[in-house]
Amino acid sequence: MGGITASAETSRNAPSDRLPAGVYLLAFSLFAMGSAEFLLAGVLPAVAADLDVTLSSAGFLITAFALGVVIGGPPFAMLSLHWPRRTALVATQGLFAAGVVVGLLGDYQVLLLTRVVSGIAYAGFFAVASVTAISLVTPGRNARASGVVVSGLSAAMVLGGPAGTLLSHFVQWRGGFWAVVALTAAGIIGCILGLPATAPDTRRPSISRELTTMRKPMLWSMYAITILTTAGYMITFNYLSAMLAEITAVPEVWIPAILALFGVGAFVGLSIGGRVSDRRPHLALLTGAAAIVILSVVMAVVIQQVWAVVPTVFLIGVAAFVLNPAVYGRVFAIAAGAPTLAGATTVSAFQLGISITPVFAAASLTRGAALTSVCLIGAGLAATAVPFILLDRTRQARSTQRAVADPRSAAIRSAHDEGQACGGH
């Protein structure tokens, strides 16, 4: 009987492979907010007509959101540094929803301004959510937890944006955004009920420590990798519908389904990357970047054959999102003592990677290059990230060797980091 009792006790104490429910709540909230980012592109002509502006002017609404994310995310993260994380999460979601509501009730100028505000709130939430997710799990599952949170964004790409666009066709373009507000409100309630008032990590926040952490060269190598790889796959994705229509000659009704395959691949990539990246982050980074290079070239070559394009779109989605958990895993490993600002800057780096793709595409297309040239540009951008990945791997190896050679110094640094993580007690 004693053996059975001990066995049962061991079973209860064994760590479960399942992540805490709070991680999935954060993913849902990111899905709700991210849907607004992908929804606007689908209803842009209707927005332009309703607000009596040109299509190019309506396009600035997308740019405004991106600028809010890139510029406003890190300062907002610093501002909220002394707030309890649940408070910061609820506040950013509330600010985001308020921005959407005010924009829906105003004219073009109001909508433009509130898109910037919503972008700032979105970036702030994303950063705090990532830090909160890793605080809810053991260190060995940091990348996996980050991958689940990011999966909310890929769900927004596959489901939220298209579903909101479809809804907007029936109830005018504002209907989809009202649905986003409702989902965000549900996310707020979920965070209030499902997250602890303070995360398990109760360290004392320090603005100076956060700023000092940002001076680490390894961190900026990761941001370069993030920008280059994100631009590498997004430039192909952003022009995929045009290539499918003009070159592959796919019937218009099938194009959304093919685009959705990218998001399905993203889910698969996040699952693979989340499990691999905690143990071998550079394997995930190198595999993802190399695959983007190869698949981008393949896309340019086979674009006329729909039977080859379809699996290539899926595989690009897999390759792209294998990278994401590894990026977050490395960022939070490098910035373990001060992750909030580093996390917010990672979100900005992702958005910057997306935002610069029109610049690269325009540089090629305005000179008369074929539409498939964007795929080759994407391959070049992803290839440029490889030296940064190799550099980061070398730096990490040297750091490990120093720790092995001088275990006393390593123990002191470990105790110091643990003290920082526990509030400096």
Side-chain angles (χ1 to χ4, degrees):
M1 286 290 291
I4 294 174
T5 304
S7 176
E9 184 68 25
T10 301
S11 177
R12 284 195 299 270
N13 292 335
S16 170
D17 189 54
R18 296 184 61 184
L19 295 173
V23 175
Y24 296 97
L25 279 172
L26 295 170
F28 171 80
S29 295
L30 190 60
F31 160 75
M33 299 168 75
S35 294
E37 181 177 10
F38 297 106
L39 167 59
L40 184 59
V43 298
L44 209 56
V47 173
D50 184 55
L51 298 179
D52 194 24
V53 297
T54 64
L55 190 61
S56 59
S57 294
F60 283 122
L61 295 170
I62 298 176
T63 305
F65 185 89
L67 285 175
V69 175
V70 173
I71 298 173
F76 192 96
M78 295 296 289
L79 178 66
S80 64
L81 197 59
H82 292 280
W83 302 353
R85 286 188 184 145
R86 188 175 70 178
T87 301
L89 292 168
V90 170
T92 49
Q93 289 180 92
L95 179 63
F96 175 88
V100 175
V101 170
V102 173
L104 293 177
L105 299 177
D107 57 13
Y108 171 77
Q109 287 75 20
V110 171
L111 183 56
L112 190 67
L113 178 61
T114 56
R115 288 285 292 178
V116 176
V117 173
S118 294
I120 294 171
Y122 171 81
F125 175 85
F126 203 154
V128 178
S130 299
V131 176
T132 304
I134 65 170
S135 75
L136 295 173
V137 300
T138 56
R141 297 195 292 175
N142 283 355
R144 186 179 168 198
S146 298
V148 169
V149 173
V150 175
S151 72
L153 194 57
S154 59
M157 182 187 300
V158 180
L159 300 174
T165 302
L166 181 63
L167 176 63
S168 296
H169 284 309
F170 291 104
V171 294
Q172 298 185 343
W173 67 270
R174 288 179 174 83
F177 286 97
W178 284 116
V180 167
V181 172
L183 289 173
T184 303
I188 292 173
I189 295 171
C191 287
I192 292 173
L193 298 179
L195 293 176
T198 55
D201 175 9
T202 57
R203 77 190 191 291
R204 184 181 303 141
S206 168
I207 292 177
S208 62
R209 187 168 66 236
E210 295 276 345
L211 293 174
T212 300
T213 298
M214 293 300 294
R215 294 166 56 186
K216 294 183 177 181
M218 292 175 71
L219 203 54
W220 290 95
S221 290
M222 290 310 305
Y223 296 147
I225 293 167
T226 303
I227 293 168
L228 291 167
T229 54
T230 302
Y233 65 79
M234 282 304 298
I235 193 170
T236 297
F237 180 77
N238 285 342
Y239 291 88
L240 184 56
S241 60
M243 288 188 287
L244 291 172
E246 297 178 21
I247 304 174
T248 319
V250 173
E252 186 177 353
V253 67
W254 289 108
I255 291 178
I258 296 176
L259 295 178
L261 283 175
F262 178 89
V264 175
F267 277 115
V268 176
L270 284 167
S271 178
I272 297 171
R275 293 177 182 276
V276 172
S277 298
D278 282 315
R279 298 184 305 275
R280 304 184 68 183
H282 296 102
L283 174 63
L285 290 169
L286 286 170
T287 301
I292 292 170
V293 173
I294 295 169
L295 292 167
S296 297
V297 174
V298 168
M299 180 67 77
V301 173
V302 305
I303 190 64
Q304 293 182 338
Q305 309 297 327
V306 67
W307 60 268
V309 168
V310 169
T312 304
V313 171
F314 170 78
L315 291 173
I316 290 177
V318 175
F321 282 79
V322 160
L323 287 158
N324 285 13
V327 166
Y328 275 99
R330 285 297 295 142
V331 166
F332 290 131
I334 296 167
T340 305
L341 181 58
T345 308
T346 306
V347 177
S348 295
F350 274 116
Q351 193 67 46
L352 184 58
I354 296 172
S355 302
I356 64 176
T357 56
V359 178
F360 285 103
S364 174
L365 299 179
T366 55
R367 287 172 170 78
L371 191 54
T372 51
S373 65
V374 298
C375 302
L376 301 180
I377 294 172
L381 289 167
T384 306
V386 172
F388 289 99
I389 298 171
L390 296 174
L391 177 62
D392 184 69
R393 185 175 66 177
T394 300
R395 284 171 169 168
Q396 185 191 38
R398 288 175 180 171
S399 178
T400 302
Q401 288 172 356
R402 284 196 297 268
V404 172
D406 189 0
R408 182 174 177 276
S409 177
I412 292 172
R413 286 195 300 269
S414 176
H416 175 69
D417 289 342
E418 183 177 351
Q420 285 186 328
C422 295
H425 298 313

